[in-house]
């Protein structure tokens, strides 16, 4: 029903370096019963839940659908988008059934020898307004669905079986995007001695960090008297490199400084992690042990040098990410997050902003391990509402404790280099907002004096006038590229962060003619053009930000909206049905890159070449018509050929923002055949080439797995990209065939996604249509090792299968 494991809080990963067990964590994954709806007396021990659904946690009850426009239909004017007249909106929160009440129940065993110990019940995310009951008695409640929180349940436990019940409730009009529903992150039971290190009680900083020496400061809060602390530091090979013992503490806190010679500095390029093992003793008796992963690095922000990491100036090449994982919903899954971040690594992205909420522990662990700078955000709303039933209802009572929990739970992650106190809050206007931003920033500073604080500001003129923007450590501008220079001159910090940029929209593999710039452009098929020339009313095209990043040393980087598509906010189609997910991503909801991905890659990935052609070359009915060809490349020039005939050489030039970063042949006349581009070096010599061919009729399926070996843990995932090819193996970019999936062996079918924002097919049914010739199938491992087979079939197509292995 559950597994008991050794675990250290606040860490990216842990390993046992000592045999003596002083604390345990029970991760409550299995054995849960779930019921959607009110259930009278469901908290009672003897409640009959035999007819409830069996689920595993993390769990998102709403992702299983169905999609229905009535679920989140709203008549509203979205002030963040500059709207003044209310209109009917659909799909804002994904058109999924996340509203209402849900109950979870499980049982766990407490051995008699553990009664009397300190026991913590930790929730990493519960959407939302959780009320928690143990053995029929309420132990506590929380409000914010994105918050981490815990309760001390030591006095309410008994030996033997204990019954845990959790009631969750999502109000309608409580979110601007799909928030998910349920116990969507981990729930853990921590058992330790009364004399122990406090929950989130270890705080590691590196006030001195250079190539010669590092000063590692470790503050450890604890409970008990007459205790001593031994801290050992290990390198990544588990070799001990330092040790310090302390017997003197102040206000139940040990404050240790440890010297590390010639440290390995953490950065996105070299994400080196050390391990600190903190052992708390009473005499010679070990009372507690906590293992903490950390990195040695320095950060600074200044008008002279912008952002510096380890003494070197750099600009953020960042993306914003919402917390849903496409077809998995919001139920956190580490292998899905790892896949996302591998795709971002190939992009050349080095930074992530958790928009607009607190990140999962798993995401931060991967950021540390894989090398991503992280902007950890807290709120999308303060006291003044954006939505009727949003966080404004809880701000006065909960805001301080939510910030405290965010910081204390995550402050040891070297990836985090700044905090965000909010995003586009209506409180940017007026004196009350100035007081609130000052109050929140001071809480962040109190809890963590080492990192600066920002807010994503969209009302930039108002923040100039009120002083709101001047208070912040880092002035973050959401869009408003036309105000960057004025903001730089008026704000005292001497630099500007693009905290949210671009909001360009596109649908993967869909191209509209003529290819021209357009704001809020709508089409009968509810798609947006992948020529990457369409954007939102409040935003701009990517090149407007590229120019600021490249030409203005006082612009310290950007976080693009967004890295991946997400459920909800289907702009520009939020007044039309059916669209239920965003068009903003460089990567679609299935995790397949769009063309725009390669535009950013051509700038950001400086280690590998980029040479990408668009559009596809299957245009039956467009013969003889102009069909523009764009090339996104890291090279400065290239020559284009259609069926062997040169269409000329294009070079990047400063005449327009687009020609500075794209190679464009706008007068190409379509004829079936082969489209070829040859990239040229500065001397005009060919250095790389790419071809796109007109495909014949769909003939066979092609399967490509991101991983063929999985962990046999019941949670690991393989993402298999399914595409269609013709008899010659050419991809069929317009194929829309309906496919069926069957998984046998030591795994199961988990979900599928095609990246089509208009698709109302349920992710978890083993059938789906292709979108622009592709989709992705998710296969999940069982808890027993063995081989797994996925078979994909479709009418009129040569079927295909792939073998995986769970170990």
């Amino acid at each position: 029903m559950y597994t008991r494991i050794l675990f250290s809080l606040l860490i990216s990963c842990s390993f046992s370096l000592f045999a003596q067990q002083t604390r345990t964590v029970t991760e409550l994954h299995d054995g849960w019963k779930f019921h959607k709806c009110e259930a009278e007396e469901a908290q009672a021990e003897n409640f009959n839940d035999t007819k409830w659904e069996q689920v595993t946690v993390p769990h998102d009850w709403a992702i299983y659908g169905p999609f229905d426009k009535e679920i989140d239909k709203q008549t509203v004017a979205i002030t963040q988008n500059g709207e003044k007249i209310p209109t009917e909106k659909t799909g804002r929160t994904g058109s999924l059934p996340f509203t209402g009440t849900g109950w979870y129940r499980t049982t766990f065993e407490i051995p008699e020898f553990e009664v009397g110990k300190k026991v913590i019940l930790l929730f990493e995310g519960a959407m939302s307004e959780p009320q928690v009951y143990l053995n029929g008695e309420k132990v506590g409640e929380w409000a914010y669905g994105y918050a981490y929180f815990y309760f001390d349940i030591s006095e309410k436990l008994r030996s033997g079986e204990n019954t845990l019940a959790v009631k969750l409730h999502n109000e309608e009009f409580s979110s601007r995007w799909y928030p998910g529903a349920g116990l969507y992150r981990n729930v853990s039971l921590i058992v330790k001695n009364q004399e122990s290190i406090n929950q989130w009680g270890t705080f590691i900083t590196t006030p001195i960090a250079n190539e010669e020496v590092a000063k590692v400061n470790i503050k450890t809060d604890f409970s008990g008297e007459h205790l001593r602390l031994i801290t050992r530091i290990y390198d990544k090979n588990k070799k001990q490199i330092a040790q310090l013992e302390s017997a003197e503490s102040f206000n139940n806190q040990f404050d240790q400084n440890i010297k590390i010679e010639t440290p390995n500095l953490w950065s996105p390029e070299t994400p080196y992690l050390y391990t600190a093992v903190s052992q708390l003793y009473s005499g010679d008796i070990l009372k507690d042990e906590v293992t903490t992963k950390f990195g040695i690095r320095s950060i600074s922000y200044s008008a002279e040098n912008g952002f510096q990491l380890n003494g070197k100036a750099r600009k953020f090449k960042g993306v914003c990410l919402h917390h849903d994982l496409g077809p998995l919903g919001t139920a956190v899954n580490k292998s899905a997050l790892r896949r996302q971040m591998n795709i971002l690594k190939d992009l050349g992205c080095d930074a992530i902003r958790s928009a607009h909420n607190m990140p999962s522990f798993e995401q931060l662990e991967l950021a540390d391990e894989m090398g991503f700078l992280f902007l950890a955000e807290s709120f999308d709303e303060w006291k003044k509402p954006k939505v009727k039933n949003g966080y404004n209802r809880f701000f006065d009572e909960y805001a301080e404790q939510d910030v405290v929990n965010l910081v204390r739970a995550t402050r040891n992650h070297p990836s985090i280099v700044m905090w965000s106190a909010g995003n586009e809050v209506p409180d940017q206007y007026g004196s009350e907002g100035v007081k609130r931003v000052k109050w929140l920033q001071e809480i962040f500073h109190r809890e963590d004096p080492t990192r600066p604080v920002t807010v994503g500001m969209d009302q930039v003129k108002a923040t100039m006038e009120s002083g709101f923007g001047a208070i912040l450590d880092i002035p973050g501008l959401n869009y408003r590229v036309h105000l960057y220079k004025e903001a730089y001159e008026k704000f005292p910090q001497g630099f500007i962060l693009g905290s949210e940029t671009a909001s360009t929209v596109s649908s993967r593999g869909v191209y509209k003619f003529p290819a021209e710039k357009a704001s809020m452009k709508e089409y009968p098929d509810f798609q947006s053009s992948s020529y990457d020339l369409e954007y939102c009313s409040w935003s701009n095209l990517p090149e407007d930000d590229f120019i600021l990043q490249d030409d203005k040393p006082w612009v310290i980087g950007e976080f693009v909206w967004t890295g991946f598509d997400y459920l909800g906010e289907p702009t520009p189609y939020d007044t039309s049905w059916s669209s239920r997910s965003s068009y903003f991503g460089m990567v679609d909801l299935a995790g397949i890159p769009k063309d725009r991905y390669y535009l950013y890659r051509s700038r950001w990935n400086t280690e590998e070449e980029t040479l990408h052609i668009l559009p596809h070359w299957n245009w039956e009915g467009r013969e003889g018509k102009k069909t523009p060809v764009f090339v996104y490349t890291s090279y400065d020039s290239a020559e284009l050929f259609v069926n062997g005939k040169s269409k000329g050489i294009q070079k990047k030039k400063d005449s327009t923002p687009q020609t500075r970063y794209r190679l464009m042949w706008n007068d190409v006349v379509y004829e079936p055949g082969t489209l070829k581009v040859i990239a040229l070096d500065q001397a005009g010599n060919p250095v790389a080439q790419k071809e796109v061919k007109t495909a014949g009729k769909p003939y066979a399926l092609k399967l490509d797995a991101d991983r063929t070996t999985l962990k046999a843990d019941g949670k690991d995932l393989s993402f298999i990209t399914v595409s269609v090819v013709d008899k010659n193996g050419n991809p069929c970019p317009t194929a829309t065939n309906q496919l069926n999936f069957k998984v046998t062996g030591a795994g199961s079918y988990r979900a599928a996604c095609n990246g089509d924002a208009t698709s109302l097919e349920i992710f978890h049914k083993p059938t789906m249509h292709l979108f622009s010739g592709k989709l992705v199938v998710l296969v999940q491992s069982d808890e027993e090792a063995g081989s797994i087979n996925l078979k994909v079939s479709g009418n009129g197509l040569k079927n295909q299968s792939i073998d995986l292995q769970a170990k």
Side-chain angles (χ1 to χ4, degrees):
M1 184 180 63
Y2 60 86
T3 55
R4 175 154 287 181
I5 60 173
L6 286 177
F7 186 81
S8 291
L9 300 178
L10 309 175
I11 62 173
S12 296
C13 55
S14 63
F15 52 89
S16 179
L17 296 168
F18 299 89
Q20 188 171 1
Q21 182 173 312
T22 57
R23 64 163 61 197
T24 58
V25 165
T26 303
E27 293 188 341
L28 302 176
H29 292 304
D30 303 322
W32 288 90
K33 292 292 192 72
F34 169 71
H35 177 68
K36 173 71 187 298
C37 266
E38 293 284 354
E40 189 174 351
E41 297 300 318
Q43 75 275 16
E45 291 182 80
N46 59 358
F47 181 84
N48 184 0
D49 60 12
T50 55
K51 293 184 178 180
W52 286 16
E53 180 185 359
Q54 278 197 316
V55 300
T56 58
V57 169
H59 177 251
D60 178 353
W61 82 56
I63 194 60
Y64 299 95
F67 296 102
D68 185 346
K69 70 174 288 188
E70 300 299 324
I71 288 171
D72 60 357
K73 187 167 68 176
Q74 306 173 31
T75 300
V76 63
I78 304 174
T79 56
Q80 294 80 30
N81 300 355
E83 297 177 2
K84 295 181 179 179
I85 301 174
T87 56
E88 182 179 287
K89 304 291 195 300
T90 58
R92 281 197 82 194
T93 51
S95 300
L96 286 162
F98 77 96
T99 59
T101 297
W103 278 92
Y104 291 83
R105 286 171 55 88
T106 192
T107 59
F108 57 88
E109 299 282 335
I110 291 292
E112 186 174 352
F113 71 86
E114 289 188 343
V115 175
K117 289 193 171 186
K118 185 183 288 289
V119 181
I120 301 295
L121 182 62
L122 171 65
F123 291 83
E124 297 176 21
M127 192 64 71
S128 59
E129 301 182 48
Q131 298 181 46
V132 181
Y133 300 86
L134 184 65
N135 299 326
E137 182 180 350
K138 189 172 183 178
V139 297
E141 63 184 20
W142 213 261
Y144 193 32
Y146 296 104
Y148 331 122
F149 62 95
Y150 63 90
F151 303 118
D152 186 336
I153 59 172
S154 307
E155 303 301 319
K156 295 179 173 62
L157 284 172
R158 62 188 179 210
S159 63
E161 186 176 86
N162 290 260
T163 300
L164 175 63
V166 183
K167 180 183 180 181
L168 298 166
H169 182 74
N170 283 338
E171 288 279 355
E172 63 177 359
F173 314 135
S174 59
S175 180
R176 299 192 299 121
W177 57 85
Y178 177 67
L183 297 174
Y184 70 103
R185 291 178 181 169
N186 289 317
V187 180
S188 300
L189 197 69
I190 303 156
V191 182
K192 57 183 180 175
N193 293 314
Q194 292 290 342
E195 296 170 302
S196 58
I197 295 169
N198 293 352
Q199 178 70 10
W200 302 328
T202 303
F203 184 19
I204 302 179
T205 60
T206 53
I208 298 174
N210 55 56
E211 293 179 352
E212 288 75 38
V213 67
K215 175 184 177 181
V216 179
N217 178 258
I218 305 177
K219 293 180 172 64
T220 307
D221 295 327
F222 65 95
S223 298
E225 296 180 351
H226 310 300
L227 302 174
R228 61 189 176 93
L229 183 72
I230 298 178
T231 299
R232 296 180 175 88
I233 294 180
Y234 298 81
D235 65 15
K236 70 174 183 179
N237 298 316
K238 302 182 183 180
K239 177 184 177 183
Q240 182 176 322
I241 59 172
Q243 176 176 326
L244 182 63
E245 179 174 346
S246 300
E248 189 174 24
S249 63
F250 297 91
N251 295 323
N252 281 77
Q253 182 187 83
F254 289 106
D255 192 339
Q256 299 176 308
N257 289 300
I258 300 175
K259 183 179 182 180
I260 304 295
E261 302 277 4
T262 59
N264 292 283
L265 300 182
W266 185 95
S267 73
E269 295 73 31
T270 57
Y272 193 99
L273 294 174
Y274 291 88
T275 303
V277 177
S278 305
Q279 293 184 305
L280 191 67
Y281 282 88
S282 175
D284 293 328
I285 300 173
L286 179 63
K287 289 294 185 178
D288 198 10
E289 177 180 306
V290 167
T291 301
T292 309
K293 289 279 189 181
F294 71 97
I296 295 175
R297 56 103 177 107
S298 68
I299 59 171
S300 64
Y301 298 80
S302 68
E304 295 75 23
N305 300 306
F307 169 61
Q308 287 190 303
L309 177 69
N310 301 325
K312 297 177 182 178
R314 60 189 296 156
K315 296 195 177 191
F316 294 102
K317 299 182 290 187
V319 299
C320 301
L321 292 180
H322 265 311
H323 70 304
D324 78 69
L325 293 168
L328 297 175
T330 61
V332 71
N333 181 282
K334 197 166 186 178
S335 58
L337 285 166
R338 187 184 294 275
R339 175 188 180 238
Q340 271 196 348
M341 294 165 82
N342 276 326
I343 292 169
L344 293 177
K345 270 290 178 182
D346 179 69
L347 174 66
C349 170
D350 68 3
I352 294 170
R353 175 191 180 209
S354 62
H356 302 292
N357 45 264
M358 300 171 181
S360 68
F361 293 172
E362 290 85 350
Q363 189 178 37
L364 292 174
E365 290 164 8
L366 288 169
D368 291 346
E369 171 193 327
M370 299 175 69
F372 286 91
L373 304 166
F374 213 95
L375 196 173
E377 198 149 84
S378 51
F379 309 119
D380 185 54
E381 190 175 278
W382 294 349
K383 183 68 172 175
K384 291 185 178 180
K386 290 183 181 179
V387 289
K388 177 181 175 182
N389 293 314
Y391 190 71
N392 65 88
R393 295 179 293 147
F394 313 120
F395 183 83
D396 286 341
E397 182 180 357
Y398 279 94
E400 180 170 4
Q401 190 58 54
D402 283 338
V403 170
V404 168
N405 285 3
L406 166 64
V407 175
R408 292 186 183 180
T410 65
R411 59 191 175 184
N412 293 325
H413 290 282
S415 55
I416 297 179
V417 294
M418 76 178 92
W419 307 107
S420 171
N423 169 68
E424 296 182 2
V425 293
D427 313 64
Q428 290 168 84
Y429 293 99
S431 60
E432 287 301 313
V434 174
K435 293 174 184 176
R436 287 186 192 119
V437 72
K438 182 176 184 295
W439 176 70
L440 284 167
Q441 183 165 265
E442 286 174 350
I443 296 170
F444 277 105
H445 288 169
R446 182 191 73 204
E447 296 299 318
D448 176 18
T450 71
R451 295 178 177 95
V453 179
T454 190
V455 167
M457 300 181 292
D458 62 332
Q459 303 302 320
V460 179
K461 285 285 191 181
T463 64
M464 290 179 189
E465 295 169 3
S466 68
F468 185 107
I471 288 173
L472 291 166
D473 299 324
I474 297 176
L477 268 60
N478 286 9
Y479 316 107
R480 311 300 184 265
V481 291
H482 62 287
L483 294 176
Y484 267 50
K485 188 174 187 298
E486 184 180 355
Y488 165 66
E489 291 171 349
K490 288 189 175 180
F491 290 149
Q493 297 89 342
F495 53 84
I496 296 291
L497 171 68
S499 46
E500 192 168 313
T501 65
S503 273
T504 303
V505 291
S506 62
S507 303
R508 176 181 55 80
V510 175
Y511 306 91
K512 303 294 185 180
F513 304 99
E516 59 186 6
K517 294 182 185 179
S519 174
M520 303 298 283
K521 187 70 176 289
E522 296 185 35
Y523 300 94
D525 61 358
F526 305 113
Q527 303 293 351
S528 294
S529 177
S530 203
Y531 274 112
D532 300 320
L533 292 171
E534 297 174 5
Y535 54 97
C536 297
S537 58
W538 64 86
S539 64
N540 50 270
L541 294 177
E543 289 86 357
D544 296 329
D545 292 293
F546 294 171
I547 290 169
L548 286 166
Q549 306 301 322
D550 290 347
D551 295 355
K552 307 299 182 184
W554 41 266
V555 178
I556 64 171
E558 67 173 319
F559 289 86
V560 180
W561 192 263
T562 54
F564 283 70
D565 278 337
Y566 56 93
L567 292 161
E569 291 195 304
T571 311
Y573 296 107
D574 54 6
T575 58
S576 309
W577 181 254
S578 61
S579 283
R580 46 69 172 154
S581 56
S582 78
Y583 300 79
F584 298 116
M586 304 177 191
V587 184
D588 73 14
L589 199 69
I592 304 173
K594 304 179 187 179
D595 293 297
R596 190 157 21 102
Y597 175 93
Y598 299 97
L599 178 60
Y600 282 89
R601 190 183 191 275
S602 69
R603 297 186 69 248
W604 284 1
N605 189 334
T606 58
E607 301 298 319
E608 300 174 88
E609 73 173 25
T610 298
L611 186 59
H612 177 78
I613 311 174
L614 62 139
H616 61 71
W617 212 236
N618 272 58
W619 295 107
E620 185 177 356
R622 283 195 64 82
E623 290 82 359
K625 296 181 179 180
K626 287 184 179 180
T627 305
V629 175
F630 292 0
V631 171
Y632 299 157
T633 180
S634 50
Y635 298 103
D636 288 332
S637 64
E639 187 172 7
L640 181 71
F641 297 85
V642 177
N643 294 329
K645 300 174 185 176
S646 176
K647 299 300 175 181
I649 294 174
Q650 290 287 349
K651 296 182 179 181
K652 293 177 183 176
K653 47 186 176 293
D654 291 344
S655 54
T656 71
Q658 278 64 55
T659 56
R660 181 170 172 178
Y661 297 97
R662 314 184 196 200
L663 301 178
M664 300 187 293
W665 291 261
N666 289 310
D667 296 324
V668 175
V669 174
Y670 175 68
E671 59 181 74
T674 300
L675 192 66
K676 181 169 73 172
V677 64
I678 298 178
L680 309 173
D681 63 16
Q682 291 184 342
N685 300 311
V687 287
Q689 72 175 42
K690 199 75 170 282
E691 289 186 347
V692 175
K693 294 184 177 182
T694 304
K697 293 181 179 180
Y699 173 71
L701 293 165
K702 181 182 178 185
L703 277 57
D704 293 297
D706 71 326
R707 302 160 63 224
T708 56
T709 302
L710 306 179
K711 293 180 181 178
D713 60 2
K715 296 180 289 184
D716 207 4
L717 296 171
S718 176
F719 291 77
I720 298 97
T721 300
V722 182
S723 54
V724 174
V725 296
D726 66 10
K727 284 187 176 182
N728 296 318
N730 297 311
C732 298
T734 61
T736 59
N737 305 64
Q738 190 75 29
L739 304 183
N740 300 301
F741 321 114
K742 185 176 181 180
V743 177
T744 56
S748 60
Y749 170 77
R750 183 69 175 84
C753 186
N754 58 16
D756 181 0
T758 72
S759 173
L760 302 183
E761 293 176 279
I762 304 301
F763 298 125
H764 301 86
K765 290 185 177 180
T767 182
M768 186 166 284
H769 76 274
L770 293 158
F771 177 63
S772 295
K774 293 184 179 182
L775 57 74
V776 172
V777 178
L778 286 66
V779 174
Q780 182 170 290
S781 65
D782 291 340
E783 292 185 353
E784 294 185 6
S787 60
I788 308 169
N789 178 265
L790 166 67
K791 181 180 179 181
V792 183
S793 59
N795 289 337
L797 296 172
K798 187 176 181 181
N799 300 339
Q800 187 62 272
S801 65
I802 190 170
D803 291 319
L804 312 172
Q805 195 71 30
K807 296 183 178 180

